[in-house]
Amino acid sequence: MMRLIAGCASALALLSSAATLAQSPSPADSPPAAAPAAQPNDYSNPNTWLCLPNRKDSCTVDLSTTIVAANGKMKKESFKPARNPPIDCFYVYPTVSLDQTGNSDMTAGPEEQGVILQQFARFSSVCRVYAPLYRQVTLTALRAIIAGRALPVDRMLAYNDVRDAWNYYLANDNAGRGVVLVGHSQGSFVLTELIRNEIDGKPVQGKLVSALLLGTNLPVEKGKDVGAFRNIPLCKSGAQTGCAVAYASFRDDVPPPANSRFGKAQGENMAAACVNPAALGGGSGELHAYLSNGRFIASSAAAPRPWVTPEKKVTTPFVSVPGLLTAECVSSDAGTYLAVHVNGDPNDPRTDDIVGDVVVNNQVQKDWGLHLIDANLAMGNLLELVREQTKAYAKK
């Protein structure tokens, strides 16, 4: 499918979206072989979690960042987790498993470790972090579906695992604390179902600080802030809690094509939600991105350009580029999506572009947009939002 820069398989896995899962043939349409029944996981076992508070695990990683200014000057930003954060974050990762079965096993590989680094570990600066392993639908299964081949898949297993992990967390770890739900792609798809079934309109909804559902097509009624959920609207400000953020990102000069996997929602009078983390009230805002420094980005094109010219070596795993990226939500015939603009200036020494497109056989796959870096693009904005919502939740 694609070769991987830096030999890392995790970013390739991000290509497998909730949209692919949702649009794949149902058992009634093309009956694949049934997967054998699986026993529930024991989430009291610490080995069933990628991240838990107060231990060294997938969330205790190097998150240092080089800030590259437009004038080419660089400075290092260190990272420290919060000592006693007042809220929790519960994360469900996207399709990353390279296991050769329809559903993944419960052994974390480099792909699970890698996506935690990119999408969730940084949340330890604002909350206690919880990330369960779950038996997700694998890349292998989705490739087989796309190729029209049958592979035993238990479509409910991923959801049941996340539900069980959530219920274990509530019963044993939550202790009345507010919680932010964080997901991307298949993870957002599973969390959407969890919110519908277990949270929306139920007493536990009072614990919801927010739901960050990235890289997905969350349906809302056109012109309204609800749809998929009856009692959980889209976020409009940092002072608002119990709300949802959802978006799928595209370059502003490469909008979703007719065959796009993102930007549209199924159902009459329904649209895909778009909440701009950089401008919750609407309009354009600056993205505070934490971009990967050449690792965990899948591409068949050349490696990322140097961050500055003449080139200076960057040794941190992440790079921040103040002022380079802005975004706004756009609704058009192409769909509703987060349009990302790169403010490149050929007269300054900093790079004029970013890496993040899906490329297959040297061709940009426009239907994926910037799915690979949905989380990276707005990571700083999302963290600031959680900080503001934490204060609002405490007052409430």
Side-chain angles (χ1 to χ4, degrees):
M1 187 177 183
M2 300 193 301
R3 65 179 176 84
L4 301 178
I5 291 176
C8 179
S10 63
L12 171 62
L14 293 176
L15 300 181
S16 300
S17 68
T20 303
L21 180 62
Q23 294 166 5
S24 62
S26 67
D29 297 328
S30 57
Q39 295 298 313
N41 288 322
D42 178 10
Y43 283 101
S44 68
N45 181 350
N47 292 330
T48 59
W49 296 83
L50 283 161
C51 296
L52 287 171
N54 303 316
R55 74 171 189 179
K56 188 174 182 179
D57 56 25
S58 299
C59 281
T60 51
V61 289
D62 181 10
L63 295 168
S64 58
T65 301
T66 298
I67 301 174
V68 182
N71 62 9
K73 291 186 178 181
M74 299 182 180
K75 65 178 180 179
K76 184 176 180 179
E77 175 186 273
S78 58
F79 176 84
K80 290 184 179 180
R83 287 191 175 183
N84 295 297
I87 65 164
D88 298 339
C89 290
F90 184 95
Y91 170 69
V92 184
Y93 50 87
T95 313
V96 294
S97 177
L98 297 173
D99 293 346
Q100 295 303 298
T101 49
N103 290 83
S104 65
D105 59 26
M106 288 293 291
T107 301
E111 56 268 35
E112 285 91 355
Q113 306 285 350
V115 77
I116 289 282
L117 170 69
Q118 294 295 317
Q119 294 191 345
F120 187 58
R122 201 172 292 272
F123 278 88
S124 64
S125 65
V126 294
C127 54
R128 297 193 312 183
V129 287
Y130 293 84
L133 280 161
Y134 71 107
R135 289 168 289 189
Q136 63 173 213
V137 177
T138 62
L139 274 172
T140 305
L142 293 180
R143 288 170 180 164
I145 290 170
I146 292 171
R149 295 183 285 105
L151 186 68
V153 170
D154 185 341
R155 295 171 183 269
M156 287 300 297
L157 186 56
Y159 173 79
N160 290 340
D161 281 356
V162 172
R163 180 202 60 199
D164 291 347
W166 169 249
N167 287 334
Y168 179 84
Y169 156 76
L170 286 179
N172 297 276
D173 295 296
N174 176 264
R177 295 161 63 91
V179 58
V180 175
L181 299 176
V182 184
H184 181 257
S185 201
Q186 185 179 162
S188 292
F189 181 82
V190 173
L191 278 178
T192 298
E193 292 303 305
L194 182 79
I195 294 169
R196 280 175 174 154
N197 298 333
E198 304 290 333
I199 299 173
D200 189 17
K202 295 179 169 58
V204 71
Q205 183 181 329
K207 299 178 186 290
L208 184 68
V209 177
S210 61
L212 310 181
L213 306 173
L214 316 181
T216 191
N217 297 318
L218 182 71
V220 293
E221 296 180 36
K222 290 182 178 179
K224 298 184 179 181
D225 292 334
V226 294
F229 314 129
R230 295 181 179 180
N231 304 285
I232 300 171
L234 301 181
C235 296
K236 294 298 184 182
S237 77
Q240 182 182 5
T241 62
C243 56
V245 170
Y247 64 85
S249 55
F250 287 79
R251 293 180 184 269
D252 62 348
D253 56 354
V254 188
N259 66 337
S260 177
R261 300 170 187 271
F262 304 101
K264 296 184 178 181
Q266 296 181 348
E268 187 177 354
N269 200 40
M270 303 299 284
C274 182
V275 175
N276 183 1
L280 293 170
S284 179
E286 181 181 337
L287 291 173
H288 183 178
Y290 283 90
L291 302 172
S292 176
N293 183 26
R295 290 181 287 179
F296 308 108
I297 294 297
S299 175
S300 61
R305 300 182 183 94
W307 294 104
V308 294
T309 303
E311 183 175 2
K312 298 178 183 178
K313 186 175 182 180
V314 174
T315 59
T316 58
F318 291 94
V319 171
S320 182
V321 283
L324 184 62
L325 303 172
T326 53
E328 65 178 324
C329 287
V330 171
S331 293
S332 67
D333 291 340
T336 305
Y337 58 98
L338 187 67
V340 178
H341 180 71
V342 182
N343 301 295
D345 183 351
N347 296 316
D348 69 37
R350 188 171 63 182
T351 182
D352 294 330
D353 205 356
I354 60 172
V355 173
D357 304 279
V358 177
V359 181
V360 179
N361 297 326
N362 294 320
Q363 295 293 319
V364 172
Q365 305 299 295
K366 297 179 181 180
D367 53 325
W368 285 103
L370 293 171
H371 190 64
L372 285 173
I373 56 173
D374 281 323
N376 300 76
L377 285 168
M379 180 60 67
N381 307 92
L382 294 170
L383 294 175
E384 182 57 32
L385 171 60
V386 172
R387 290 187 187 98
E388 294 179 15
Q389 290 178 323
T390 299
K391 295 176 183 177
Y393 184 84
K395 291 180 181 180
K396 187 177 72 170

